[in-house]
Amino acid sequence: PWDWDLINNQVRFSREWKQQLGYAENEITTDLSEFTSRLHPDDADRIAAMLELCMADPSKEYDVEFRMRHKDGTYRWIHTRGSLHYDATGRPVRMLGCHLDITDRRLAEEELREAKVAATLREGAERYNFLADTVPQIIWTARPDGGLDYYNKAWFNYTGLTLEETKDWGWGLVLHPDDLQHAIDLWTRSFTTGENYEVEYRFRRASDGAYRWHLGRALPLRDDSGQVTKWF
């Protein structure tokens, strides 16, 4: 429990309140700054807004979750509730409340959210791989620095190469020698400048060793700031 004297701006914290944050009885005074100094910076404005709302509307209950710094330096999630008390003139003079350490619950919720996000990403990747493997065209992706990091099934069927042989820039094994340097130069320019990549070159087919002409294209995927995050 806690008791906030609004007139003198003093807060009395219970022994249990202090123990939850790792402090002894005499380590926290009644000065309100003792409370505010331990708030997580990202939560201070939200708490102030909630208090302002409660002061303006007596029907509103002070009910908020925030982080407070434990004595060991870590932050604990706190759920606190409080109610205003008024004098005979209707002026708010006190707020009485209690708080509960909900860190374990918040961590469990965060782990659950992360697990759901990971599951969604896995499902998306599985769908992408399935779709990419059903088309006859060769599909590949690359990192922003130009290093190739994915090929669909059509690539391996056509070239007969393994992923280890072709990751990053292993095309020299199947790209026609007369086309190799030109393809490298164009690709280097693209991932350096962010320009779309387009080139015609010959690849050796694993089934008969014949070189076949291909049209190669790659487009950059950009984030909100315009930075390239992936090449497709």
Side-chain angles (χ1 to χ4, degrees):
W2 48 268
D3 181 355
W4 181 12
D5 179 350
L6 299 175
I7 304 302
N8 299 304
N9 214 23
Q10 299 287 311
V11 184
R12 290 186 290 274
F13 302 103
S14 68
R15 181 184 296 107
E16 292 79 10
W17 192 99
K18 298 174 184 178
Q19 288 176 345
Q20 282 189 356
L21 293 174
Y23 294 97
E25 181 69 23
N26 61 350
E27 288 187 281
I28 297 182
T29 68
T30 59
D31 193 315
L32 185 62
S33 63
E34 289 277 10
F35 171 78
T36 57
S37 67
R38 290 171 173 79
L39 287 176
H40 193 288
D42 294 343
D43 298 336
D45 289 344
R46 183 157 46 84
I47 293 174
M50 175 61 72
L51 286 171
E52 184 178 351
L53 179 63
C54 293
M55 295 294 183
D57 185 352
S59 67
K60 298 292 185 182
E61 183 180 39
Y62 180 64
D63 190 335
V64 65
E65 294 182 1
F66 55 88
R67 287 159 290 184
M68 287 200 72
R69 190 176 68 251
H70 193 276
K71 187 177 181 179
D72 63 10
T74 62
Y75 280 94
R76 306 290 297 180
W77 274 101
I78 304 298
H79 180 198
T80 191
R81 301 179 68 177
S83 58
L84 287 169
H85 293 257
Y86 303 83
D87 62 14
T89 66
R91 179 182 60 165
V93 293
R94 296 176 68 192
M95 179 179 279
L96 298 176
C98 61
H99 89 199
L100 178 68
D101 188 321
I102 59 168
T103 304
D104 291 342
R105 191 201 79 192
R106 291 291 298 234
L107 290 176
E109 291 174 348
E110 182 63 26
E111 290 176 358
L112 181 59
R113 281 195 295 269
E114 291 177 354
K116 288 181 177 179
V117 170
T120 300
L121 292 175
R122 284 196 302 271
E123 182 180 359
E126 290 171 358
R127 290 182 177 181
Y128 172 80
N129 290 336
F130 178 78
L131 177 63
D133 286 341
T134 59
V135 299
Q137 291 82 6
I138 291 172
I139 296 176
W140 51 270
T141 68
R143 300 185 301 272
D145 64 1
L148 280 75
D149 56 9
Y150 169 82
Y151 299 88
N152 71 336
K153 190 175 181 180
W155 165 264
F156 300 109
N157 290 342
Y158 182 88
T159 64
L161 299 177
T162 66
L163 179 60
E164 285 299 316
E165 290 173 319
T166 55
K167 69 179 181 180
D168 290 326
W169 189 262
W171 289 12
L173 298 173
V174 290
L175 193 58
H176 194 288
D178 294 342
D179 302 334
L180 179 59
Q181 191 57 51
H182 179 59
I184 292 176
D185 291 343
L186 289 180
W187 178 230
T188 301
R189 185 178 70 183
S190 289
F191 71 73
T192 302
T193 65
E195 299 175 5
N196 293 351
Y197 176 67
E198 182 168 321
V199 63
E200 293 184 358
Y201 38 30
R202 289 160 288 183
F203 279 98
R204 187 176 68 246
R205 187 165 56 189
S207 61
D208 58 6
Y211 281 97
R212 306 283 296 179
W213 280 100
H214 291 251
L215 172 63
R217 286 174 175 165
L219 302 177
L221 178 67
R222 302 179 185 273
D223 60 19
D224 293 339
S225 66
Q227 297 297 312
V228 175
T229 60
K230 198 77 169 176
W231 286 90
F232 288 88

